[in-house]
Amino acid sequence: MPIYAPIQSTIEKAAALLAEGDLVAFPTETVYGLGADATNDRAVALVFKAKARPQFNPLIVHVPSVAAAEALAELDDRARRLTQRFWPGPLSIVVKRRTDCPVSHLATAGLETIALRSPDHHVAQALLRALGRPIAAPSANVSGRLSPTTAEHVAKDLGRHVKAILDGGPCRIGLESSVVACLPEGAWLLRPGAISAESIAEVVGPLRPAPAADVARAPGMLQSHYAPALPLRLEAGRANANEALLAFGGQVPNGFATVRNLSPEGNLTEAAAHLFAYLHELDRPEFSAIAVMPIPERDLGIAINDRLRRAAQGTTSTGI
Ligand code: AMP
Ligand code: MG
């Protein structure tokens, strides 16, 4: 995996790799990002695979400008004021996805909301403009390890997973962006970071306390996890009346009202790429439940099963 000095030709090369669905690490003012074309489900699945995260957390989607953010999400007055004050810069805003938002549902972990940020770094900006699409990018480290602030950190941790690293030298801030939800229910801090809660409150007024997880599931509130409205039946074999089937692998049982197959070849990266889109498609009132075939508990199957178990609990109890 080459480490490139960021000049026009290497930035264009990196953008071409992203456009093909490969992963590229790039510098921002906060930490190095593990970037994927945010509109490509499979590329986003590779991000989770590379980080070896046991869960699908929603990723921050990077955009070059406020105009690019407005094309993906609905920004209210407060969100606009925040972008005017802090963008480009280390503030991510969580806002509602537009219905026609082309960003992968895996990148937003099935949620109706999306975290957006415009990085204050000339290499990140040049990469975004060369690609012409949003870039989903969590910190470029294996889950549980320190966030990388140099290209060497990235190479050591994730070198074999990325097709290129753009070396912008050490990150100026070296601390993650602050994440603030900006939704009809109010504004609240989801993650403290480079911009203080006080300076955010100066722009949007007092921040509300984060809603408790159970409150967050009330209609319209920010859900911390996506759960379908239909009951989920895991480890399903035979069909019950009127069930939809979320299948996996080549041997699909008969008798279901409809079937979506996460991966007929039994490929877990492909299955992760399809998970949220297919759950959304099957979650329709004409079915009695969504039955889910067993998914192997390895690689991305661990995160897939984690999310399915949470979703199955969410429909039968108050847990999330
Ligand atoms: P990282 O992946 O390390 O950059 O962290 C991303 C942070 O943004 C996590 O704290 C996520 O929970 C948060 N985040 C990203 N997207 C969303 C979203 N749609 N809704 C709520 N939080 C989000
Ligand atoms: Mg991180």
Side-chain angles (χ1 to χ4, degrees):
M1 151 281 324
I3 300 183
Y4 292 125
I7 53 173
Q8 193 55 33
S9 60
T10 54
I11 290 171
E12 278 167 17
K13 167 82 182 146
L17 289 168
L18 288 170
E20 283 164 26
D22 291 323
L23 304 185
V24 167
F26 63 99
T28 80
E29 79 280 32
T30 59
V31 300
Y32 274 74
L34 175 62
D37 172 356
T39 66
N40 181 335
D41 283 319
R42 235 192 129 80
V44 173
L46 290 177
V47 167
F48 288 103
K49 191 176 161 77
K51 284 189 67 94
R53 270 190 185 174
Q55 294 181 346
F56 293 127
N57 302 332
L59 305 178
I60 294 170
V61 174
H62 293 69
V63 290
S65 62
V66 180
E70 302 253 16
L72 305 178
E74 292 166 17
L75 274 60
D76 63 12
D77 272 356
R78 280 170 321 198
R80 284 211 184 93
R81 287 206 301 277
L82 284 173
T83 59
Q84 274 158 19
R85 172 74 181 77
F86 296 114
W87 279 18
L91 180 80
S92 302
I93 52 168
V94 171
V95 286
K96 198 166 178 310
R97 282 177 70 118
R98 280 191 186 285
T99 44
D100 60 354
C101 175
V103 168
S104 154
H105 283 285
L106 181 61
T108 53
L111 298 169
E112 301 295 310
T113 54
I114 182 168
L116 294 170
R117 175 168 113 79
S118 188
D120 184 16
H121 195 291
H122 68 282
V123 175
Q125 284 287 336
L127 184 65
L128 283 162
R129 288 175 201 276
L131 179 63
R133 291 180 213 157
I135 299 178
S139 51
N141 55 285
V142 169
S143 193
R145 303 224 187 116
L146 284 180
S147 291
T149 54
T150 65
E152 290 72 33
H153 293 164
V154 180
K156 229 167 54 193
D157 231 19
L158 289 177
R160 61 196 184 88
H161 291 282
V162 296
K163 282 281 161 71
I165 301 175
L166 291 172
D167 184 355
C171 297
R172 180 164 59 80
I173 296 180
L175 186 73
E176 275 86 357
S177 66
S178 306
V179 183
V180 62
C182 230
L183 294 163
E185 300 78 16
W188 65 96
L189 200 61
L190 286 161
R191 180 178 78 184
I195 292 179
S196 72
E198 289 74 27
S199 12
I200 296 168
E202 271 172 29
V203 177
V204 294
L207 297 173
R208 53 169 292 161
D214 50 345
V215 179
R217 294 204 60 217
M221 294 298 279
L222 179 70
Q223 287 182 310
S224 55
H225 296 295
Y226 167 73
L230 286 182
L232 230 62
R233 188 165 71 83
L234 304 184
E235 310 280 329
R238 271 205 300 251
N240 290 339
N242 231 9
E243 272 183 333
L245 179 68
L246 191 63
F248 178 82
Q251 312 232 301
V252 179
N254 292 322
F256 288 91
T258 190
V259 178
R260 289 281 180 289
N261 198 331
L262 289 170
S263 172
E265 291 85 43
N267 177 317
L268 288 164
T269 307
E270 186 186 13
H274 292 146
L275 177 68
F276 290 105
Y278 286 3
L279 278 173
H280 275 289
E281 284 178 39
L282 295 179
D283 192 17
R284 296 213 310 262
E286 64 256 42
F287 305 124
S288 60
I290 301 172
V292 186
M293 286 175 66
I295 315 266
E297 188 76 8
R298 61 179 158 80
D299 298 330
L300 284 177
I302 294 168
I304 295 173
N305 284 324
D306 167 75
R307 187 43 51 104
L308 288 169
R309 279 192 288 266
R310 285 167 193 268
Q313 274 167 21
T315 54
T316 54
S317 76
T318 53
I320 285 203

